[in-house]
Amino acid sequence: MRGLFTLCILCSIALLISCENRDINEGEEFRPRAVKDNFDDTHFTKITVDGVEYIMTERDNNNPHEGFGFMAFRANKLMEKQDTIISYLRTMQHFQNKLYSRMYRISEDSAQNEFEAKFIEYLLQETRELEELEREDLVNTKTETSENEKEE
């Protein structure tokens, strides 16, 4: 019985010693190297997503602490799509102005002027909201007011 007890004690001590946290990189030293700008021997991977071409590369120096990645997209297809969307929106606006002018029996010029005025109004409103979000001293006044009312 005594031998079994001694064996259990020794196993417990061995288990506690083996659970010590050690640095997994012990003995390794971090040695950063300068990144060379010569990409002649670099392999680029090209993928296409929704007609937009992405170019990617990753360089790993066989060390888990070193390496870098790079990703870019070619904007040619993206610009074509953007131009198509802008043209489509302008066409829709043109026909909506024609309908609006006929519905309310006003000239197409005045319908276009009303459209532009409303567009500028909404654009300024969105710009104001973005500027408020970008300010460092942004404060939610509704929350402060309701908290002050609760205290009183």
Side-chain angles (χ1 to χ4, degrees), residues 49-74:
V49 178
D50 293 334
V52 178
E53 190 176 74
Y54 292 87
I55 302 169
M56 299 178 293
T57 185
E58 181 179 345
R59 184 168 290 178
D60 186 6
N61 295 329
N62 293 327
N63 185 338
H65 302 293
E66 295 180 21
F68 68 94
F70 171 77
M71 181 174 164
F73 68 92
R74 294 181 59 178

Side-chain angles (χ1 to χ4, degrees), residues 15-148:
L15 182 66
L16 289 174
I17 291 173
S18 67
C19 291
E20 178 186 352
N21 287 333
R22 284 177 270 162
D23 187 9
I24 60 172
N25 298 323
E26 190 174 317
E28 290 185 17
E29 190 176 308
F30 179 65
R31 292 178 298 258
R33 286 181 261 176
V35 176
K36 298 178 182 173
D37 290 340
N38 184 5
F39 286 98
D40 294 336
D41 61 340
T42 304
H43 171 71
F44 288 97
T45 305
K46 294 180 185 179
I47 62 168
T48 303
V49 178
D50 293 334
V52 178
E53 190 176 74
Y54 292 87
I55 302 169
M56 299 178 293
T57 185
E58 181 179 345
R59 184 168 290 178
D60 186 6
N61 295 329
N62 293 327
N63 185 338
H65 302 293
E66 295 180 21
F68 68 94
F70 171 77
M71 181 174 164
F73 68 92
R74 294 181 59 178
N76 53 353
K77 296 287 184 184
L78 193 63
M79 294 300 289
E80 287 175 15
K81 287 184 177 191
Q82 178 181 339
D83 292 344
T84 304
I85 292 170
I86 290 172
S87 299
Y88 180 76
L89 289 172
R90 285 186 179 161
T91 305
M92 292 297 295
Q93 179 225 337
H94 174 75
F95 283 105
Q96 286 176 347
N97 282 341
K98 278 184 173 259
L99 287 171
Y100 181 74
S101 67
R102 289 193 181 159
M103 280 176 56
Y104 292 100
R105 294 183 175 93
I106 58 176
S107 69
E108 287 185 28
D109 289 336
S110 62
Q112 178 66 28
N113 291 339
E114 282 185 46
F115 171 82
E116 288 173 2
K118 207 46 128 167
F119 175 74
I120 290 171
E121 177 185 333
Y122 286 127
L123 187 62
L124 288 173
Q125 181 181 355
E126 292 298 319
T127 304
R128 249 185 274 119
E129 288 176 7
L130 283 174
E131 286 172 354
E132 285 179 15
L133 288 174
E134 290 175 351
R135 273 191 287 142
E136 291 180 3
D137 60 341
L138 179 67
V139 186
N140 189 349
T141 55
K142 292 180 184 176
T143 306
E144 287 183 357
T145 306
S146 61
E147 287 176 2
N148 290 338

